[in-house]
Amino acid sequence: MNQVIIKIDGMHCPECEVHVNDLFRKNLKHVIQVKSSHIRKQTLINSDIVLKEEDINKALDGSGYRVLGVEHKDNQKDSFSYKLALKFHHEEA
């Protein structure tokens, strides 16, 4: 599993979290899990590949949200919730 923590400017409420999550799911391939927090001003993405910073920025283009920083945490130990989400993701495809 590859994990990325993205610091984001512009999220102010729970609806912003939903919007950001939807943008990442729609615009990035290989995303397994997305969780945003307007309080922490960040999004956590688990994916089956290493996401490129350029693609992360493009996913939010024109949305009013801005990427402030990206931290990759590659090859994290697979958790139960990740494995379950991965199974669900592949069954949908």
Side-chain angles (χ1 to χ4, degrees):
M1 169 178 73
N2 295 286
Q3 190 174 80
V4 63
I5 300 170
I6 307 160
K7 291 290 186 182
I8 298 177
D9 182 42
M11 286 194 295
H12 303 289
C13 63
E15 289 80 16
C16 292
E17 296 172 0
V18 172
H19 189 220
V20 167
N21 290 346
D22 289 345
L23 286 168
F24 283 128
R25 283 188 192 104
K26 177 183 173 188
N27 296 316
L28 293 176
K29 295 180 182 181
H30 303 283
V31 170
I32 304 301
Q33 290 177 312
V34 181
K35 184 174 182 180
S36 295
S37 170
H38 73 282
I39 295 169
R40 291 186 179 134
K41 308 243 183 260
Q42 71 180 27
T43 298
L44 173 70
I45 298 177
N46 291 320
S47 65
D48 54 4
I49 65 166
V50 176
L51 298 173
K52 296 178 184 176
E53 194 165 338
E54 175 183 327
D55 294 335
I56 292 168
N57 282 303
K58 283 182 185 178
L60 297 182
D61 275 353
S63 67
Y65 304 105
R66 187 170 58 102
V67 174
L68 299 176
V70 176
E71 178 185 351
H72 289 276
K73 295 190 173 199
D74 300 333
N75 300 319
Q76 297 293 305
K77 183 178 178 180
D78 291 353
S79 67
F80 174 75
S81 61
Y82 171 78
K83 289 177 184 177
L84 186 61
L86 182 62
K87 183 178 187 301
F88 180 72
H89 175 74
H90 286 290
E91 286 176 357
E92 284 186 337

